[in-house]
Structures are given as structure tokens and as C-alpha cells.
Amino acid sequence: MSGQRGGSPYAPHTPDETAEMLDAVGVDSEEDLFDIPASVRFDGEFGLDARSEQEARRHVGDLLGANDDLTEFLGRGHYAHYVPSLVDHLSQRSEFITSYTQYQPEVTQGFLQVLFEYQSMLVELTGLEIANCSMYDGATALAEAALLADRARSVDGTAVLVPENLRTAQFEVLENYLGGQDLHVETVPTVDGTLDVDALREAADADTAFVYAENPTVTGAIEESLREIGDIADEAGALFCLGSDPVALSLLQRPSDVGADVVVGDAAALGVGHAYGMGLGLFACREEFLRQVPGRLVGASEDQNGVRAYTLTLQTREQHIRRERATSNICTNQAWVALRTAIHAASLGPQGLVDLANDMVDLPRALAADLDAIDGVTAPVHDRHHFREFVVAVDRPAGEVCEELETDGFAVHQVGDTEIQVCITDVNEHAADDLVAAFEEAL
């Protein structure tokens, strides 16, 4: 850090400033500030062979060339939308990138304002009064919502009801979170890609603490019985939690209007692109659960001079309050990812978000119609409205069809012996005709 004249963009201290600080605290060097065992201390050698720039570029190119070059029609919780370059340019400004944690009281006013805008966007999209400034991903947000139900429930129930088609990763995270808690997970059957409401009504009783549904569902189907599901949860005295994402929420019915108490999901559909696993946990809830919200809330206030100011308003982690009153042990949040999502959403604007969401209805409808016209293909399998993705039935073993599609350069999900799931967005729509041609060849 201090070795750079003029400082680093991430720790902009000059050598003179560093020397002055070291003198103030009474040490001779930065090394004296740390107690790092010699066995793990950097000794000045990386153990890498030196390469010229040209050799290094060729080596990295060879490594990257080993990756499959497939056009992806994947989805099932991870969605790729085009991220405008301004998101990179703004989010990578030195004011927003720091080696210091982004959730401590010392975080800058500019960063706090962005997180406040991110929360405000979620409040507007969900219709709920409270949104925190992000969690790890959709799976941890769902698990934290179940724990909130355990703290805030008005019944003595211990059952957490989730759809039987809940993604495996979400299910496993939820079970891990609830391990050791007085809660257990039960699955509810689905029918035609959505929750079986009759089965839910039969399953929900005095032992139910939490009911979870998704819109759109993991198969891309629009859940049309949300109000009924909310009523069932309410009658059982359970919390109703709805899973979604900010693009879908800009078009679909607001969760607050169908009785949702909590909304979770992955907000990384905006700002990150297809990040191969990086998530951004969306979490919003009713105001009555304010003191039970995990993570951190950013609020707007005024300083002593009456100037608008932003501040970390509520932090319910054991680091900040009494351990027995802590709501979550989550250690950090996705502040910088939330910043990117907020920038992307702001660049689209309200109408741009709605336009993007409308495309996510029109594109799968058109692709399904083209695939359905092929002999040996039925699309979509579920007789529902769809968002981004849908399930396709084929007359051949789905595994063989997927392998042939991959040979032709396309990646899709096999979801059954004769079923394949296809996801189309603005980043792969240009290859839709080629995918249809590949299906024709495979069938």
C-alpha cells in the first residue's frame, strides 16, 4: 500500500501519510501492526515462473480455451440479463471499491445512499414496508425468513412447508439452517408446475409455522393462486413467504397484495449477469417484523446541521447487540453486488424494468410455440403462463437429446427422463432459431 507513490485507489495513502500514522501510533513499520505467523506470511516470492506479457496472455488464453463454448439456455434460479457497461464503470469507481468492509458505521455516505436506494426499490416492488441491504443469496434469504417465522410466529407449530420442486441447493441450505432449531421442513406436492393448493390446505395446520411459495416457480410457471395460498397460511397462523426476483416483481402482482409477510429471492438477475453462482439475497417483510430482520438496514436522517444523511439504522447481529437477542449470525452482506443491482435498475428506470419483464413473457411464449411445432416435442409441458423458462417434453430420452444439443453448442437442463427445461432471455434470444433447428435435428 504505502509502497506506491500517490497511494492505491483502494487505500489512497501516500508514503508520508503512512509514516505520519505509524509515528502517531508509535510503531516503525506496517509489519509491526500485525502478528502474522511466519508459516503463513508472504515472503516476497510467489513461486511462479516469470513470463513476458505475450507469454502470459498466451498461457491465460490456452486456459480459457479449455472452457466449453456453449450458448446457454439455462435458468432454474440463475438468470442472465444484459448488464450495460455503465454498471461496470460506475461500480468500479474507487469511491465504491475498498478493502474495508462495506457494512460498518464508517461506510461512506455515497455507498449508504446507494444501499438506501436499493432497499427503496425492493420496498416499491414488493409493497412491503421493510427491505434489508442484501444477504448472501436467495437460499440464505429463504432460510433466514424461516428463522424469522420461528421468532415471530403466533402459533406453536414447527413445520416449514415448501414446494416439492424447490431447488436442491435451496432445500439443503434451508435444512442446514434449521438443524438444531425447533423447526423441520415438509414438502407440498405441485401440480402442473405450481403448488397444489388442495394439498397445501390439507398439510397446513396448527403445526405449521411457515409457508413458502414461488412466483414464477422453478419451472417458470406463473403461480396463479397466491392469494389462496396466503389465506391458507394466515388461517394456520403461519407466515407466508414468497420467492421472486426484481425483474419478475416489476410485472407480476405485488406480494403485499396477496398477503405475503416476507419476500425473498435472488436479486442478482440485475447488475451481475450470469455470475455462475454469485448471488444477492433479496429480503423484504412487513414493518411489524422490523426488529426481527436479519442483516442490516440503511436509513435516511439528518445531521446536526439539518443536512440529509444516511446511516446504518439497524443491525441485529450479535456483534452489535446482546448475543441472545441477535437475529442472525450472518457475517457480511453483498453490499457491492447490491450497488450494481441498484445501478442497473436505475439505468433501466421503472418503464425499462417493465419492458424487460414483458420480454420475459413474450420470448418464452414464442420459443415454446416454435418448439411445439416440431414432431416429437411438446412445449410448454405445463399449461400455464411462463416467465423466462418452461419445460419441454420430448419423445426420445431427454439425456440423449441434451447430449446432441450440447454437441451442436447449446446447454439446457435435463429435468426428467423425457423432459428438458429451457430458459430464454435478452442475452440468448439471438440464438433461439438455431436452438429450434438443433431440436429439429435431434428429434
Side-chain angles (χ1 to χ4, degrees):
M1 293 186 289
S2 61
Q4 295 189 27
R5 185 169 296 280
S8 154
Y10 311 122
H13 304 134
T14 65
D16 289 342
E17 290 170 335
T18 300
E20 186 175 350
M21 287 187 285
L22 291 173
D23 182 62
V25 298
V27 298
D28 295 328
S29 69
E30 292 173 76
E31 287 70 23
D32 294 338
L33 297 173
F34 305 101
D35 181 19
I36 302 174
S39 59
V40 297
R41 186 181 303 175
F42 178 58
D43 62 1
E45 296 291 337
F46 286 110
L48 300 175
D49 295 334
R51 287 187 170 94
S52 68
E53 178 179 327
Q54 189 176 21
E55 290 170 334
R57 283 179 174 273
R58 188 161 51 242
H59 177 67
V60 172
D62 290 342
L63 291 176
L64 294 176
N67 291 332
D68 289 332
D69 186 17
L70 300 175
T71 302
E72 298 173 356
F73 283 81
L74 304 169
R76 294 180 65 82
H78 297 286
Y79 304 111
H81 291 292
Y82 179 72
V83 180
S85 60
L86 71 86
V87 175
D88 285 338
H89 285 290
L90 293 179
S91 66
Q92 291 176 8
R93 288 182 62 90
S94 59
E95 297 95 320
F96 294 134
I97 297 180
T98 172
S99 55
Y100 199 58
T101 50
Q102 298 283 14
Y103 55 84
Q104 300 287 11
E106 297 84 355
V107 64
T108 64
Q109 283 293 298
F111 212 122
L112 286 170
Q113 180 178 352
V114 174
L115 295 178
F116 183 80
E117 300 291 350
Y118 166 81
Q119 294 174 179
S120 301
M121 175 188 72
L122 295 184
V123 166
E124 188 168 350
L125 289 173
T126 62
L128 301 177
E129 296 88 353
I130 303 295
N132 73 12
C133 55
S134 83
M135 311 203 77
Y136 292 140
D137 52 25
T140 51
L142 169 59
E144 293 284 358
L147 295 183
L148 183 150
D150 189 34
R151 296 189 297 270
R153 59 185 170 174
S154 58
V155 296
D156 295 328
T158 60
V160 171
L161 303 185
V162 301
E164 63 177 358
N165 61 2
L166 185 68
R167 285 188 297 125
T168 302
Q170 284 182 293
F171 191 90
E172 291 177 346
V173 170
L174 182 61
E175 281 208 313
N176 278 332
Y177 260 67
L178 301 189
Q181 303 289 330
D182 186 22
L183 292 171
H184 66 280
V185 184
E186 294 182 11
T187 58
V188 177
T190 57
V191 57
D192 203 27
T194 58
L195 203 60
D196 185 335
V197 175
D198 290 335
L200 174 65
R201 184 176 290 105
E202 187 173 336
D205 54 25
D207 189 42
T208 303
F210 184 82
V211 173
Y212 176 66
E214 295 181 329
N215 193 33
T217 71
V218 70
T219 62
I222 299 302
E223 178 63 75
E224 298 177 1
S225 305
L226 289 176
R227 182 170 292 282
E228 204 170 350
I229 293 170
D231 289 343
I232 293 172
D234 189 51
E235 290 167 7
L239 259 71
F240 175 30
C241 178
L242 181 62
S244 193
D245 71 79
V247 179
L249 287 171
S250 66
L251 184 65
L252 300 177
Q253 199 171 14
R254 290 202 312 175
S256 62
D257 296 337
V258 295
D261 298 300
V262 183
V263 175
V264 299
D266 211 309
L270 292 176
V272 186
H274 201 180
Y276 296 97
M278 174 180 284
L280 171 63
L282 178 164
F283 193 102
C285 65
R286 296 191 184 280
E287 188 170 7
E288 63 186 280
F289 304 127
L290 172 63
R291 299 246 170 224
Q292 301 296 333
V293 173
R296 299 159 180 84
L297 300 181
V298 176
S301 183
E302 291 183 349
D303 66 13
Q304 61 183 0
N305 298 316
V307 177
R308 186 177 177 85
Y310 300 91
T311 182
L312 284 170
T313 305
L314 184 69
Q315 300 180 88
T316 53
R317 187 180 165 222
E318 65 184 20
Q319 183 183 34
H320 306 286
I321 61 177
R322 291 202 304 269
R323 182 175 183 178
E324 63 273 17
R325 297 186 61 189
T327 61
S328 171
N329 284 325
I330 196 165
C331 291
T332 185
N333 61 359
Q334 296 283 72
W336 189 74
V337 186
L339 175 140
R340 290 181 62 93
T341 294
I343 293 173
H344 191 175
S347 71
L348 289 170
Q351 189 56 50
L353 265 175
V354 172
D355 292 344
L356 177 61
N358 277 319
D359 288 344
M360 297 309 104
V361 174
D362 296 337
L363 289 173
R365 180 185 296 149
L367 179 57
D370 289 343
L371 292 174
D372 194 56
I374 301 172
D375 287 340
V377 176
T378 301
V381 168
H382 304 302
D383 184 21
R384 302 282 183 179
H385 295 292
H386 286 80
F387 195 86
R388 292 197 191 98
E389 53 196 330
F390 55 91
V391 177
V392 180
V394 293
D395 284 352
R396 290 183 54 199
E400 294 179 8
V401 175
C402 289
E403 287 180 7
E404 293 182 27
L405 292 176
E406 184 173 327
T407 301
D408 289 337
F410 301 101
V412 295
H413 279 294
Q414 179 186 350
V415 293
D417 293 339
T418 59
E419 291 184 339
I420 296 168
Q421 189 158 330
V422 175
C423 177
I424 182 169
T425 71
D426 49 316
V427 300
N428 61 6
E429 64 169 310
H430 65 281
D433 290 342
D434 292 334
L435 178 70
V436 173
F439 262 94
E440 285 180 328
E441 187 176 340
L443 272 298

